Amino acid sequence: MSDETSLGPGREFDLVRVMMSRWGDRARGIGDDATVLSVPTGEQLVVSTDASLEDVHFRRAWLAPAEIGWRATAAALSDLAAMAATPLGILIALTLSERWLDDLGELAEGIAESASAAGASIVGGDLTRGEQLAITITVLGSTAAPMRRDGAHPGDILWVTGQLGGPALAIAAWNEGRQPTPEARARFARPVPRIREAQWLARAGASAGIDISDGLGGDAAHLAAASGVRIAIDADALPRAPGADVSTAQRSGEEYELLVTTRSPLDAAAFQREFNLSLTRIGTVEQGDPGVDLLIGGERVASPTGYDHFSP
Amino acid sequence: MSDETSLGPGREFDLVRVMMSRWGDRARGIGDDATVLSVPTGEQLVVSTDASLEDVHFRRAWLAPAEIGWRATAAALSDLAAMAATPLGILIALTLSERWLDDLGELAEGIAESASAAGASIVGGDLTRGEQLAITITVLGSTAAPMRRDGAHPGDILWVTGQLGGPALAIAAWNEGRQPTPEARARFARPVPRIREAQWLARAGASAGIDISDGLGGDAAHLAAASGVRIAIDADALPRAPGADVSTAQRSGEEYELLVTTRSPLDAAAFQREFNLSLTRIGTVEQGDPGVDLLIGGERVASPTGYDHFSP
């Protein structure tokens, strides 16, 4: 945590010590103004930054502090998965409000668990006092061949990992004053960035890829726009979480599953065996105005395009 | 700004468009889930992240929006200067509250100007709605030989760039309801990361270095702690901003000047000619308990160690 790790006095240092004692050797290289890292020879650096704020991305009543830390970190790491990159490390900019001070250790633990599970060390950060809990994670990775959004071509096949709808079901339950099912809750509280799965898909010939953060409809639209293609999604083929209807499955955001296109069919059974995760063919890439159609009972309907944190 | 730059609908996209139109070709590689960058062969990656929050790091009444953007970016870039690294790019995680929406273009302009001045492109980011304006900048740079905090040895000479005290004078004036002098105000509103100066100092043989963000006393203590040495600062030698006394000069934070140690004397006149900035010998490195002494009229007094955002 740059300056704050040196032996200065003050409460900020005490707070950093709480985190460092949790992290142990899951943190490294912290203590100078900046962190020095090596990018493997022949590979390029892949970077992204992602903020998670209380009452924007989660509510305190919904999650344990360790889950909040895990989720913020997993969300950021998913951007490395979307590029089929291998994680190198993460930097954490943490803004703490007074009422979160006692939860700092648990937050830090969740962050470290999530980073560790993805093979990323904690390599730096910044700690600030503020009005609202904010966890901003910058992820650093590398790859010789990044998977991008703009490589889809007409005739390609569209695939998705896992089952969709769990996070939306969990949020709906909480908003209605109910407890979500354990399965739906886990999909929201402990999402898994599909790091190794993305590398498998890239090796298997993925022409384009994106992670599902805005919802299948929205992210398919991003991929379609970047590639200049039209995407047709077969509603009947969507792999749905238990209890999720088609609308929920295609709107549900923060899934962190992968949406990829390939020129040729994939061995979905081999993928399932390796990762214990489904890989489902859900549509096709077509020529046409960039956008997404949902095919429901043979009929085309324009797909809604996800949600927007700035909308009411 | 990852997802938000694709042609999706919604207000978030409109806000991203405001920024992108300001940035023009000062931004590059934005539009995929993450950004791909090349680190020059034979060099290592240097990274740091730094958050600037309203009412913690600045007040709205003090600065124009473009100055707030400049300052947040310069503060982060200064961590690259502290390592004598060359900037590659920056990522911006911006949390906007409603009352800042109309100032977004100016904030974005200040960020881009500061990045450009340091030779850094804007390579990615994230935009979120929140209760408090927060600008979290992650800086990426590279160097073959990072300047570190831990290389100072007894017998080394201590140097500082520029003049100290301006930011503290500006804050004191505002807190007393006065306008600061233009010189003091500029030092707070438009600090300059000493990127090229640091490279000059590293080439000239700096054994250790740090940027002054917590105040000379505090950052000298960080350097002393990391190097396991005692540092003696000659109060009479301190280069002070007009109107700053010794106490102000050695407490003043967010200076972003450089504090370095060298085994041999430097050519301060050559430095001054090249950068139009003073380089002043202000003390020595000694054996002893890690810490800092201030020599005032030949008498040693323990140095205060800067400020702490978490203290009252």
Side-chain angles (χ1 to χ4, degrees):
Chain A
M1 328 262 2
S2 64
D3 290 338
E4 293 80 3
T5 48
S6 298
L7 297 172
R11 195 163 161 204
E12 195 160 324
F13 174 67
D14 292 337
L15 294 173
V16 171
R17 195 160 44 189
V18 166
M19 290 190 285
M20 297 294 282
S21 69
R22 286 285 186 147
W23 291 339
D25 59 10
R26 294 178 293 187
R28 65 183 172 87
I30 296 180
D32 222 309
D33 291 284
T35 305
V36 180
L37 286 177
S38 293
V39 174
T41 307
E43 299 198 357
Q44 289 185 290
L45 175 67
V46 181
V47 292
S48 180
T49 193
D50 197 54
S52 291
L53 278 78
E54 184 176 7
D55 295 333
V56 178
H57 298 89
F58 60 87
R59 293 188 194 281
R60 189 183 172 103
W62 296 354
L63 299 177
E67 291 172 331
I68 290 168
W70 171 287
R71 191 168 181 277
T73 308
L77 286 164
S78 184
D79 282 330
L80 294 183
M83 308 288 281
T86 302
L88 294 171
I90 68 168
L91 298 120
I92 303 159
L94 188 62
T95 300
L96 270 189
S97 59
E98 286 296 325
R99 70 198 196 96
W100 283 91
L101 288 178
D102 290 343
D103 297 306
L104 178 60
E106 289 300 309
L107 283 170
E109 180 62 32
I111 291 170
E113 281 176 13
S114 183
S116 264
S121 295
I122 298 166
V123 299
D126 184 48
L127 179 65
T128 318
R129 177 194 56 185
E131 295 166 15
Q132 186 178 19
L133 178 67
I135 307 173
T136 302
I137 306 280
T138 299
V139 291
L140 306 162
S142 70
T143 178
M147 185 163 75
R148 296 186 183 270
R149 296 180 177 185
D150 63 1
H153 286 91
D156 283 0
I157 308 165
L158 185 71
W159 306 82
V160 72
T161 62
Q163 298 181 322
L164 305 179
L169 289 174
I171 293 171
W174 279 313
N175 280 337
E176 291 164 13
R178 292 181 289 114
Q179 280 305 310
T181 65
E183 294 76 16
R185 187 184 187 288
R187 289 286 304 144
F188 185 86
R190 291 262 177 185
V192 179
R194 303 302 187 188
I195 301 282
R196 289 191 310 123
E197 293 84 347
Q199 292 166 358
W200 188 100
L201 291 165
R203 279 196 308 271
S207 51
I210 192 169
D211 67 320
I212 299 179
S213 51
D214 293 352
L216 173 65
D219 288 307
H222 295 322
L223 201 152
S227 293
V229 297
R230 195 145 192 97
I231 287 177
I233 297 174
D234 179 1
D236 295 331
L238 286 188
R240 291 180 277 131
D245 59 18
V246 166
S247 169
T248 300
Q250 77 102 35
R251 274 187 306 101
S252 180
E254 293 164 348
E255 293 276 349
Y256 307 117
E257 297 295 349
L258 298 170
L259 182 69
V260 302
T261 58
T262 63
R263 213 121 313 165
S264 317
L266 295 173
D267 186 348
F271 182 95
Q272 165 83 43
R273 279 194 306 275
E274 182 147 353
F275 301 112
N276 193 27
L277 184 74
S278 64
L279 176 65
T280 310
R281 181 175 178 151
I282 60 165
T284 52
V285 179
E286 304 176 348
Q287 281 189 319
D289 287 340
V292 180
D293 292 319
L294 202 59
L295 306 181
I296 302 180
E299 196 157 342
R300 277 182 188 256
V301 295
S303 164
T305 48
Y307 62 87
D308 177 339
H309 287 306
F310 275 84
S311 295
Chain B
M1 326 272 341
S2 63
D3 292 338
E4 294 80 3
T5 49
S6 299
L7 297 172
R11 194 163 162 205
E12 197 159 323
F13 174 67
D14 293 337
L15 295 173
V16 171
R17 195 160 46 190
V18 166
M19 289 189 285
M20 296 295 282
S21 69
R22 285 285 187 146
W23 291 339
D25 59 10
R26 293 179 292 187
R28 65 183 170 87
I30 296 180
D32 223 309
D33 291 283
T35 304
V36 180
L37 286 176
S38 293
V39 175
T41 306
E43 299 198 359
Q44 288 185 289
L45 175 68
V46 181
V47 293
S48 179
T49 193
D50 197 54
S52 291
L53 276 79
E54 184 176 7
D55 295 332
V56 177
H57 298 89
F58 60 86
R59 294 189 195 282
R60 188 183 172 105
W62 295 355
L63 299 177
E67 291 171 332
I68 291 168
W70 170 288
R71 190 167 182 279
T73 308
L77 286 163
S78 184
D79 282 329
L80 293 184
M83 307 288 282
T86 302
L88 294 170
I90 67 168
L91 299 116
I92 305 159
L94 187 62
T95 299
L96 271 188
S97 58
E98 286 295 325
R99 69 198 197 97
W100 283 91
L101 288 178
D102 290 344
D103 297 306
L104 178 59
E106 288 300 309
L107 283 169
E109 180 62 31
I111 291 169
E113 280 177 14
S114 183
S116 264
S121 295
I122 297 165
V123 299
D126 184 47
L127 179 64
T128 318
R129 178 193 55 185
E131 293 166 17
Q132 186 177 20
L133 178 67
I135 306 173
T136 303
I137 305 281
T138 300
V139 292
L140 306 162
S142 71
T143 179
M147 184 163 75
R148 296 186 183 270
R149 296 180 178 184
D150 63 1
H153 286 91
D156 284 359
I157 308 164
L158 186 71
W159 306 82
V160 72
T161 62
Q163 298 181 322
L164 305 178
L169 290 174
I171 292 171
W174 280 313
N175 280 338
E176 291 163 13
R178 293 180 290 113
Q179 280 303 310
T181 65
E183 294 76 16
R185 188 184 186 288
R187 288 287 302 144
F188 185 86
R190 292 264 176 184
V192 178
R194 303 301 187 190
I195 301 283
R196 290 191 309 123
E197 293 84 346
Q199 293 165 358
W200 189 100
L201 292 165
R203 279 195 306 272
S207 50
I210 192 169
D211 67 321
I212 299 178
S213 51
D214 293 353
L216 173 65
D219 288 306
H222 295 321
L223 201 150
S227 293
V229 296
R230 195 144 192 98
I231 288 178
I233 297 175
D234 178 1
D236 296 331
L238 286 188
R240 291 179 279 131
D245 59 19
V246 166
S247 169
T248 300
Q250 77 101 37
R251 274 187 306 103
S252 180
E254 293 163 346
E255 293 276 350
Y256 307 117
E257 296 296 349
L258 297 171
L259 182 70
V260 302
T261 57
T262 63
R263 213 119 313 166
S264 316
L266 295 173
D267 186 346
F271 182 94
Q272 165 83 43
R273 279 195 305 276
E274 182 149 353
F275 301 112
N276 193 28
L277 184 74
S278 63
L279 176 65
T280 310
R281 181 175 178 151
I282 59 165
T284 51
V285 179
E286 304 176 347
Q287 281 188 319
D289 287 340
V292 180
D293 292 319
L294 201 59
L295 306 182
I296 302 180
E299 195 156 342
R300 277 181 188 254
V301 295
S303 165
T305 49
Y307 62 87
D308 176 341
H309 287 308
F310 274 84
S311 295

